[in-house]
Amino acid sequence: ADLSRTGHSQLMHHQTIERSIEWGTRLLSETDRAAHARLSVLPGVFTKEAAAAVVPAEVSVGDVQRLLDRLVNSSLLGIVPAAAPGRPTRYRQLATVRAHAVRMLAASGDTDDVLRKRKVWLTEMVGERAFLPAEDSTGWHARVEDNYDTLNAVLQQALIDAPEPDGLVITMHLHTF
């Protein structure tokens, strides 16, 4: 076999995948394309609740599930089974799809705004623990666990990449987690 062609074949495969993703996103509505891009700030596994925090403002809370279903049907999102009975269905973008979505988000100029919305949502979610009696915290723990990848990304940004006080606020609320 001619090993010198291996890299060429891999490049062609990558370009084919990229073109397929691009073609698939062109079939979406403008709002769905924007949601596809915005969901890229939710690395790994995320819930509908997290998605609702970052999708375009014109998507009502009641329409988030339909939007996620359309992205799943377009193969731009995958479904991850609930972590346990009674817990929500979760979603994820494959790495190649997410890389495309990151580029779309960067091209839109909305990256900073969407990252801010992600951090605000997560800060509020973990902050709810302060208002719960210890015996009522099971649901809170499950919500944090179901969005653990997003939590890690926010903490990475707020404590390491660009340290800010919100990182400490989030960390303080996580003391029982």
Side-chain angles (χ1 to χ4, degrees):
D2 182 4
L3 296 179
S4 65
R5 297 186 52 81
T6 303
H8 179 69
S9 175
Q10 289 175 347
L11 177 61
M12 287 180 60
H13 180 70
H14 176 74
Q15 290 171 342
T16 301
I17 291 171
E18 184 68 25
R19 281 193 299 270
S20 296
I21 295 168
E22 185 61 36
W23 177 78
T25 58
R26 283 191 204 135
L27 299 175
L28 299 173
S29 70
E30 186 176 326
T31 300
D32 288 0
R33 277 193 303 275
H36 160 67
R38 288 167 163 257
L39 291 172
S40 70
V41 302
L42 303 174
V45 177
F46 60 89
T47 61
K48 177 176 80 171
E49 180 186 12
V54 300
V55 296
E58 62 265 18
V59 178
S60 71
V61 172
D63 287 336
V64 172
Q65 186 62 59
R66 284 187 289 281
L67 172 112
L68 293 172
D69 291 342
R70 287 191 303 271
L71 294 176
V72 167
N73 289 335
S74 299
S75 299
L76 295 171
L77 277 184
I79 294 177
V80 177
R87 303 263 289 271
T89 298
R90 297 168 302 157
Y91 303 88
R92 87 163 19 155
Q93 289 177 320
L94 294 175
T96 52
V97 172
R98 185 166 183 266
H100 177 268
V102 166
R103 286 191 298 278
M104 283 183 66
L105 184 60
S108 75
D110 292 336
T111 302
D112 290 342
D113 180 55
V114 179
L115 288 171
R116 183 189 54 75
K117 288 179 180 187
R118 176 187 75 176
K119 183 183 66 173
V120 166
W121 168 76
L122 189 98
T123 303
E124 289 173 358
M125 182 191 56
V126 299
E128 291 173 8
R129 173 65 183 97
F131 303 103
L132 295 172
E135 62 274 4
D136 292 340
S137 65
T138 304
W140 177 86
H141 283 270
R143 284 177 67 207
V144 172
E145 186 177 291
D146 287 337
N147 291 286
Y148 189 76
D149 294 326
T150 301
L151 169 66
N152 276 340
V154 170
L155 288 175
Q156 173 74 32
Q157 179 186 6
L159 292 174
I160 297 168
D161 297 341
E164 58 180 293
D166 286 342
L168 295 176
V169 170
I170 294 167
T171 303
M172 287 187 322
H173 288 303
L174 293 172
H175 73 279
T176 64
F177 186 73

